[in-house]
Amino acid sequence: MSDTHFGAENSVLSHVPEGTTSVEPETPSAVLTQLVDCLRAIVETNADKRPPTLILHGDILELALADDNVAAMSFAAFITLAFATDPPLFDDRIYYVPGNHDHHLWETARERQYALYIRKLDPGHAIGPPWHVTRLFEEPSTVTPEAELLNAVLSHEVDHDLSVRVVYPNLGIESNDGERVIIIHHGHFTEPLYRLMSSLKAALFPRQLAAKEIWEWESDNFAWIDFFWSTLGRSGAAGVDVGLIYDMLQDKDAVAHLAANLARFISDQFPRELRAAGRLSLTPLARWLVPKVASRERSIPNVVLSEKTANGLHEYLSGPVRRQLEHERPGSASREVAFVFGHTHKPFERSEQITGFPRPISVVNSGGWVVDTKGTSTVQGASVILIDADCGVASLRMYNQADDPSSYAVQLAEAGLSRDRALRDRLGTTLQFGAAPWTTFSAVVAAAVTNRHHLLPRLIDEGVAL
């Protein structure tokens, strides 16, 4: 799963009491409760009675736009539902692949890992440079860093010896027969915005070599991602304003207010006799510039994947992902490859021919659990991605937004290869989507999406008033 954004008001997995605009984190939302019931229905049909491994691939906690304690408690509500039963829903080892909104979890895990490395050095031994990524594939000798904050939350909530292992930015899984590999990433590196520092470096110092390896992409851009997308919104009262700006960017009238304020601020720095003319000329420029700067893939509500992000997807896979794969498993690019990512909040399944991979790659997007728009966006929704021991991949499309609440229904999809179809067919014969808990989930999530569509204008109005 990805993009749950626990703690965000616009996440249907956060509990926002009717008539309010604030998250009540101690209480699980109705959608979250029904989702866990659906996940339990899947696990109960599994021939292997061992609990499955939970992989959370980014933007799980809303660390950019929510208070830390609200995000942590909302996440804890999910953990309690999943592990408070006997048997627990998932294995005790959880894998976490941070995204942009929870990138700081990687930063804290990385620094802790670096500190442990330094402590183990012999006296007088030179200290090596820090590393910015983990291995793609976990090895027996690998010490995978853990998320200390989340481990503390888990131990506070449930009586299990749980651990959250942090892998960043890519997690690799190999099939038992060795014929297929799955690569899991949050998805932010498919957008040029999250490689801004690399782009600036190339523009300002064109004779420098461009970043090609995955660790170069991350080392160039980690501070920018961490500051703007994972910590800025937590900066006291200023952080609250960042959250309001994020909401206001969803509305043209609210953007006009922001642009006017920006133009006024800039023109006030001019000599007094030029301020009126400056404000008159800067306001239309700001109205054009603000939404351009803030434009991201999820703000394009009518296209599953824009051309710019599709190009970024190809660049990421053919470049740093292929190189990381070949570094750790030489020749693996010729195997069947599936790429799972989220980030865009728009689930889809497709096959892509990527440079450097002789076979088409199965690309699956897990969507997101937040409502980003004031009106219905039929391409936005969320999937749970299911993977079996053969690395067959099935996308359990939990919902897509729709105008008609009765049209919400859980559906199965697959990327198209034979091992994917086998998993899809097996699930299709065992999961009865025409009955509870699936129909109950669909009714509850339809109501929650409508609620969030109504909630967003109230949040924007509050922002404009402030």
Side-chain angles (χ1 to χ4, degrees):
M1 295 172 56
S2 75
D3 296 272
T4 55
H5 290 272
F6 284 119
E9 296 94 340
N10 62 343
S11 171
V12 296
L13 300 182
S14 298
H15 178 60
V16 180
E18 193 70 33
T20 73
T21 58
S22 299
V23 174
E24 190 178 277
E26 300 93 337
T27 306
S29 74
V31 178
L32 179 60
T33 302
Q34 294 301 320
L35 171 62
V36 172
D37 286 347
C38 291
L39 296 177
R40 184 164 284 109
I42 299 170
V43 173
E44 288 174 351
T45 66
N46 199 356
D48 189 338
K49 297 306 178 184
R50 292 176 300 172
T53 299
L54 176 63
I55 300 173
L56 301 169
H57 61 111
D59 287 6
I60 301 302
L61 274 70
E62 180 52 83
L63 296 184
L65 302 171
D67 291 335
D68 290 4
N69 62 316
V70 174
M73 286 190 287
S74 298
F75 175 70
F78 167 59
I79 292 299
T80 300
L81 288 173
F83 286 93
T85 57
D86 188 21
L89 186 54
F90 301 114
D91 185 74
D92 288 347
R93 182 183 300 173
I94 298 170
Y95 286 88
Y96 202 110
V97 185
N100 50 305
H101 282 241
D102 52 8
H103 181 275
H104 199 62
L105 291 174
W106 164 238
E107 274 305 291
T108 54
R110 183 178 74 87
E111 290 181 353
R112 182 171 180 266
Q113 183 185 42
Y114 191 49
L116 292 174
Y117 149 74
I118 294 174
R119 286 196 186 102
K120 292 179 180 179
L121 291 176
D122 294 330
H125 194 285
I127 298 175
W131 45 95
H132 287 274
V133 301
T134 60
R135 289 181 57 87
L136 178 61
F137 298 100
E138 192 174 41
E139 301 288 354
S141 59
T142 303
V143 179
T144 305
E146 296 191 1
E148 193 169 9
L149 170 64
L150 297 187
N151 283 347
V153 172
L154 300 185
S155 63
H156 180 264
E157 294 299 321
V158 295
D159 186 22
H160 285 278
D161 187 19
L162 306 179
S163 67
V164 180
R165 298 195 172 194
V166 183
V167 181
Y168 184 84
N170 301 313
L171 170 65
I173 303 172
E174 297 176 284
S175 61
N176 289 338
D177 61 10
E179 292 298 317
R180 193 183 215 189
V181 61
I182 298 174
I183 299 168
I184 300 173
H185 170 58
H186 172 63
H188 51 293
F189 275 140
T190 65
E191 284 200 77
L193 179 62
Y194 301 95
R195 307 196 302 272
L196 179 62
M197 295 301 107
S198 294
S199 299
L200 285 176
K201 184 181 73 172
L204 296 172
F205 307 103
R207 296 180 65 182
Q208 286 194 18
L209 294 176
K212 295 182 178 180
E213 307 289 353
I214 187 62
W215 48 87
E216 293 175 323
W217 279 38
E218 172 63 10
S219 63
D220 276 357
N221 298 284
F222 82 96
W224 151 246
I225 296 171
D226 206 56
F227 163 68
F228 201 82
W229 302 105
S230 194
T231 59
L232 182 60
R234 300 151 66 199
S235 306
V240 175
D241 291 342
V242 171
L244 289 173
I245 291 171
Y246 180 87
D247 292 327
M248 292 169 71
L249 289 172
Q250 318 306 319
D251 180 81
K252 290 182 179 179
D253 292 335
V255 167
H257 278 278
L258 291 173
N261 288 345
L262 179 62
R264 184 180 300 110
F265 170 77
I266 296 174
S267 60
D268 283 348
Q269 315 309 309
F270 293 178
R272 186 178 298 275
E273 62 273 15
L274 298 177
R275 289 177 186 174
R279 188 176 303 173
L280 188 65
S281 59
L282 286 172
T283 298
L285 175 63
R287 287 185 179 180
W288 173 84
L289 183 62
V290 169
K292 291 290 184 183
V293 171
S295 177
R296 292 166 297 144
E297 180 64 29
R298 69 186 62 169
S299 64
I300 306 173
N302 300 316
V303 180
V304 170
L305 197 66
S306 68
E307 182 179 1
K308 180 186 291 186
T309 303
N311 292 337
L313 171 68
H314 279 247
E315 183 180 359
Y316 185 57
L317 288 173
S318 63
V321 170
R322 183 181 61 81
R323 288 172 176 272
Q324 187 181 24
L325 182 60
E326 287 298 320
H327 277 304
E328 296 189 26
R329 297 289 190 275
S332 286
S334 61
R335 294 195 280 177
E336 285 185 12
V337 176
F339 182 67
V340 177
F341 74 114
H343 178 66
T344 68
H345 300 177
K346 297 181 286 188
F348 68 84
E349 307 81 22
R350 64 170 62 168
S351 181
E352 293 279 347
Q353 188 66 59
I354 305 294
T355 301
F357 292 88
R359 303 188 194 184
I361 291 181
S362 300
V363 178
V364 182
N365 188 287
S366 52
W369 296 86
V370 298
V371 178
D372 288 319
T373 57
K374 292 174 66 176
T376 300
S377 173
T378 56
V379 298
Q380 291 196 353
S383 292
V384 173
I385 310 304
L386 306 173
I387 302 171
D388 65 14
D390 293 325
C391 280
V393 178
S395 176
L396 188 61
R397 187 75 62 84
M398 299 304 294
Y399 78 96
N400 274 82
Q401 291 183 26
D403 290 321
D404 181 5
S406 65
S407 65
Y408 278 69
V410 179
Q411 299 177 343
L412 272 168
E414 35 84 9
L417 298 180
S418 58
R419 67 179 70 214
D420 300 323
R421 286 192 291 271
L423 175 59
R424 182 187 185 280
D425 292 344
R426 181 170 65 82
L427 292 168
T429 59
T430 56
L431 302 177
Q432 305 301 316
F433 294 128
W438 310 101
T439 53
T440 307
F441 170 85
S442 295
V444 168
V445 77
V449 170
T450 300
N451 171 275
R452 295 310 190 273
H453 282 317
H454 295 158
L455 175 65
L456 185 57
R458 295 207 301 273
L459 292 170
I460 291 172
D461 288 343
E462 289 180 3
V464 172
L466 288 173

